[in-house]
Amino acid sequence: MRHIISMADLTVTEIDELIATSQDIIISPVKYREACRYKKLATLFFEPSTRTRLSFEAAMYELGGQVLGFSEASSSSAAKGESVADTIRTVCCYADIIAMRHPKEGAPTVAATHASVPVINAGDGGHNHPTQTLTDLLTIKLEKGRFEGLTVGLCGDLKFGRTVHSLVHAMCRYPGVRFVLVSPEELKVPSYVKIPLKEGSVPYEQNTDLVSVLPELDILYMTRVQRERFFNEDDYVRLKDSYILTPEKLAHAKAGLSIMHPLPRVNEISTEIDQDPRACYFRQALNGKFIRMALILKLLEVSV
Ligand code: NCD
């Protein structure tokens, strides 16, 4: 049984194949319209979501399959005290594949241990978010045509931002990638995320100032400060507006920069930037549906 809990569960070859399948889906969607007929995806969201849940559901519908699930823990038996293990054993009676988001780090690993169908981690606390990373990689491939040799700036809440953790893990496996990690001191990337960078001798620098590094970047990946992971509201209020990308700041950037954001945006990208052709974040949201279609096909072992 194949589960996707972190990017370590996919080889580089498999990531490249998923991207290639997504590109084929974009060109020939009709070919895939019946691919998952009579298959059911369960979306178990114990935490809020707009893009991840709805793109998973749209993906399954566009493959001809069906969807069941819940969008908040309060409407599931978790509210009555049911364990993740028991919920998963139950859902496996009804669904062929599960996408699960949970506020506790490691909950999808527990789920996978008890599952008889594939489990996909759709975000676990401040830990990992592998399908957002697949979305990001497809976006980079479509916008830039390559991963190799890019300077990638990651900016904002690098401590709690799970999308950043998974993206670093995946991109450092492609040659010539260099990271510029921009955050306040308190929101620096956790040391476990830097282990693959150190082991692979992947170049990276850490900085607190976005404007000074902006001219070097090929990709700027902005993130919101993750309010729900803070222990103290005062700390959140103090840090929430650490970085706000404005047209004035963008004047320092390369003409070919790609501005990405997993969304939701709070304040960190001025809405004036949405009109700039370098802003990719809504194209990125669309790409999330295509790559999740490819992932569902792979895990259900459906060939088209
Ligand atoms: C991200 C997440 O849930 O981690 N959103 C998403 O899935 N697109 C980013 C965030 O919530 O800030």
Side-chain angles (χ1 to χ4, degrees):
M1 185 59 52
R2 195 76 198 271
H3 306 290
I4 303 298
I5 307 302
S6 77
M7 288 308 290
D9 294 317
L10 291 165
T11 65
V12 171
T13 307
E14 286 178 315
I15 295 170
D16 292 340
E17 283 166 2
L18 287 169
I19 290 170
T21 304
S22 308
Q23 290 179 292
D24 192 55
I25 292 169
I26 293 169
I27 298 165
S28 317
V30 176
K31 215 165 86 183
Y32 294 87
R33 226 160 42 185
E34 301 286 320
C36 288
R37 210 167 166 206
Y38 306 123
K39 298 283 186 195
K40 280 171 282 177
L41 164 75
T43 50
L44 312 184
F45 279 65
F46 297 84
E47 244 195 1
S49 170
T50 297
R51 276 147 292 270
T52 305
R53 185 172 64 84
L54 296 183
S55 65
F56 259 116
E57 297 190 354
M60 195 52 165
Y61 286 126
E62 293 200 16
L63 292 168
Q66 289 164 312
V67 176
L68 64 164
F70 51 84
S71 56
E72 46 186 311
S74 62
S75 66
S76 78
S77 285
K80 301 178 185 171
E82 186 171 58
S83 66
V84 166
D86 286 0
T87 300
I88 288 294
R89 281 198 195 100
T90 306
V91 174
C92 287
C93 303
Y94 313 136
D96 301 288
I97 184 165
I98 295 171
M100 172 182 160
R101 168 171 289 187
H102 201 283
K104 285 218 173 89
E105 290 83 3
T109 307
V110 174
T113 314
H114 297 279
S116 55
V117 305
V119 173
I120 305 170
N121 177 8
D124 64 325
H127 193 210
N128 281 145
H129 193 348
T131 66
Q132 180 63 45
T133 292
L134 292 171
T135 301
D136 301 340
L137 294 175
L138 173 60
T139 303
I140 293 168
K141 189 72 177 194
L142 293 174
E143 301 286 333
K144 291 270 175 274
R146 67 182 208 283
F147 302 120
E148 288 75 10
L150 296 176
T151 296
V152 182
L154 300 160
C155 177
D157 185 347
L158 309 189
K159 178 179 181 187
F160 296 119
R162 55 195 175 193
T163 68
V164 167
H165 306 162
S166 294
L167 187 58
V168 167
H169 193 287
M171 280 204 87
C172 73
R173 292 195 267 166
Y174 289 90
V177 173
R178 180 177 156 252
F179 292 97
V180 182
L181 307 171
V182 183
S183 72
E185 280 298 324
E186 290 116 304
L187 298 179
K188 278 161 96 171
V189 85
S191 45
Y192 82 88
V193 175
K194 286 189 279 189
I195 292 171
L197 299 178
K198 288 178 179 156
E199 283 179 357
S201 305
V202 178
Y204 73 92
E205 66 168 84
Q206 293 181 283
N207 207 312
T208 54
D209 180 29
L210 176 60
V211 174
S212 67
V213 299
L214 209 40
E216 307 165 31
L217 306 181
D218 299 304
I219 291 170
L220 172 59
Y221 191 97
M222 293 295 289
T223 63
R224 85 183 157 95
V225 176
Q226 307 274 300
R227 180 182 203 161
E228 65 274 38
R229 315 264 178 244
F230 277 70
F231 295 111
N232 176 335
E233 179 73 6
D234 291 345
D235 287 342
Y236 168 71
V237 170
R238 186 167 48 79
L239 293 168
K240 71 183 173 66
D241 291 330
S242 298
Y243 304 101
I244 300 176
L245 189 64
T246 58
E248 296 70 46
K249 289 181 190 158
L250 205 50
H252 299 271
K254 285 185 185 173
L257 176 74
S258 295
I259 307 162
M260 299 176 63
H261 193 310
L263 302 177
R265 153 179 59 187
V266 181
N267 223 4
E268 52 287 342
I269 302 180
S270 149
T271 52
E272 292 161 80
I273 289 177
D274 298 357
Q275 313 310 322
D276 192 303
R278 293 173 287 184
C280 313
Y281 27 93
F282 289 107
R283 298 196 285 278
Q284 194 179 346
L286 173 63
N287 295 334
K289 180 183 70 175
F290 299 123
I291 200 86
R292 290 182 174 103
M293 289 171 77
L295 186 62
I296 291 168
L297 288 170
K298 178 177 177 62
L299 294 178
L300 290 179
E301 298 178 7
V302 175
S303 49
V304 176

